[in-house]
Amino acid sequence: MSDEFTAYCKLKLDKDLKPAISNALSPHLHKDFLSRGEISLTLEIKNNFISEIHKTKTKFSDYKYIEILNTQISTFQLKGTDRLEERLKKTAERVSYQYKTTFRCGRKRSSFNEGITRIAVYDSELQDVTSLSYRLSKFEEDKIELSIRCKELHKQLLSEEKQRSRGNADYQKLETITEKLKRENDSLHKCLDLLEKHHISSVGGKPVGDLGKSQRYAKMQTLKTQSAKALWFAEAIP
């Protein structure tokens, strides 16, 4: 295939217009289709895609319709049988004519774009049926594995969200305790400053700050109690 042909097909056809695979039967089967072998699949091709195929054929007349269609199929390839070529040719000419005459513009054209033509493909018309079956089964396996993985990730996400929520609650609790201790500490320091100012906070002539840890703690508790009593007494006096 020429580089120009390949580039044109990629530009004009390689988009969301590619043929789909269906199990539905084509409405245009030959009366002796049962004697032709088993139908492997049915191509579902939208009208706007068929129109692009016809334009490509007009521009590159040396190429067959099947060759043009094969550029857009990755999982398998169609054999260049006379039946398929003729089917594609008649379909492309019909759709192209309808675009030029009946569906030139407007809503009807938009609706016609989505119209589908079904083309049956027999086993004998596929290049590699075994490869197609393998790839389809592999796709199903990958889809199942992906589904399992998604469920695992969702479960992990919920667990992490729960842990984070619990951590936030613990953090809030610690913040509350810290604020409470800070307020108590500030209150004790104020009491200590007040008592030292009036020379009533020493122990054996030593300031509270110079005492050992256990003595300082005991003295602070005593001062706290005395301060509370003093405040109560002061408030009780009219």
Side-chain angles (χ1 to χ4, degrees):
M1 294 185 182
S2 68
D3 293 339
E4 183 184 3
F5 173 74
T6 302
Y8 184 89
C9 289
K10 185 172 182 60
L11 176 65
K12 296 294 185 179
L13 301 176
D14 193 12
K15 45 191 173 182
D16 296 334
L17 303 176
K18 293 186 177 181
I21 300 174
S22 169
N23 292 323
L25 291 178
S26 167
H28 300 287
L29 290 174
H30 195 273
K31 60 183 179 180
D32 64 343
F33 77 95
L34 290 176
S35 64
R36 296 188 177 191
E38 185 176 351
I39 295 177
S40 180
L41 53 88
T42 300
L43 292 176
E44 292 187 346
I45 312 177
K46 290 185 178 181
N47 288 333
N48 51 356
F49 183 74
I50 293 173
S51 176
E52 293 296 338
I53 289 179
H54 184 69
K55 292 176 184 177
T56 305
K57 172 64 176 174
T58 302
K59 183 176 179 63
F60 300 93
S61 57
D62 292 339
Y63 290 91
K64 294 182 177 181
Y65 282 101
I66 291 179
E67 291 177 314
I68 298 171
L69 183 58
N70 274 338
T71 64
Q72 304 305 303
I73 301 175
S74 58
T75 54
F76 60 93
Q77 293 287 278
L78 300 172
K79 290 182 180 179
T81 64
D82 293 339
R83 187 194 76 84
L84 276 180
E85 183 67 20
E86 186 65 19
R87 180 83 167 86
L88 286 170
K89 178 177 180 294
K90 288 183 178 180
T91 300
E93 289 175 347
R94 171 182 57 80
V95 170
S96 178
Y97 178 77
Q98 288 177 293
Y99 270 118
K100 292 177 181 178
T101 57
T102 308
F103 305 103
R104 297 174 62 88
C105 59
R107 293 183 179 178
K108 288 185 177 181
R109 183 183 179 90
S110 298
S111 178
F112 186 68
N113 284 340
E114 300 300 315
I116 291 176
T117 295
R118 291 186 174 89
I119 299 178
V121 179
Y122 295 92
D123 286 347
S124 59
E125 294 172 323
L126 287 176
Q127 294 281 12
D128 192 355
V129 178
T130 304
S131 176
L132 172 62
S133 299
Y134 171 76
R135 292 187 185 186
L136 288 176
S137 62
K138 187 68 170 62
F139 172 76
E140 290 297 329
E141 291 176 4
D142 292 342
K143 187 169 68 173
I144 293 173
E145 290 179 2
L146 180 61
S147 176
I148 294 174
R149 180 59 179 157
C150 286
K151 289 180 180 179
E152 291 176 350
L153 290 175
H154 182 255
K155 185 177 180 180
Q156 182 179 348
L157 179 62
L158 291 177
S159 176
E160 290 178 355
E161 286 287 343
K162 188 175 181 180
Q163 290 180 4
R164 187 174 67 176
S165 178
R166 188 183 300 132
N168 288 338
D170 292 341
Y171 177 77
Q172 292 292 335
K173 188 182 295 184
L174 289 174
E175 266 197 336
T176 302
I177 295 173
T178 301
E179 287 296 325
K180 181 180 179 181
L181 291 175
K182 185 178 179 182
R183 288 194 299 270
E184 289 185 356
N185 188 57
D186 291 342
S187 177
L188 287 173
H189 275 288
K190 287 179 181 178
C191 291
L192 179 61
D193 291 341
L194 179 63
L195 294 172
E196 285 185 343
K197 183 178 180 181
H198 293 84
H199 307 289
I200 59 176
S201 63
S202 60
V203 179
K206 290 184 179 181
V208 174
D210 295 339
L211 297 176
K213 186 176 181 180
S214 58
Q215 286 183 311
R216 184 167 63 249
Y217 176 77
K219 184 61 177 177
M220 290 291 287
Q221 292 300 317
T222 301
L223 292 175
K224 182 179 179 182
T225 302
Q226 292 176 349
S227 299
K229 289 181 179 180
L231 289 172
W232 173 83
F233 181 75
E235 291 175 354
I237 297 176

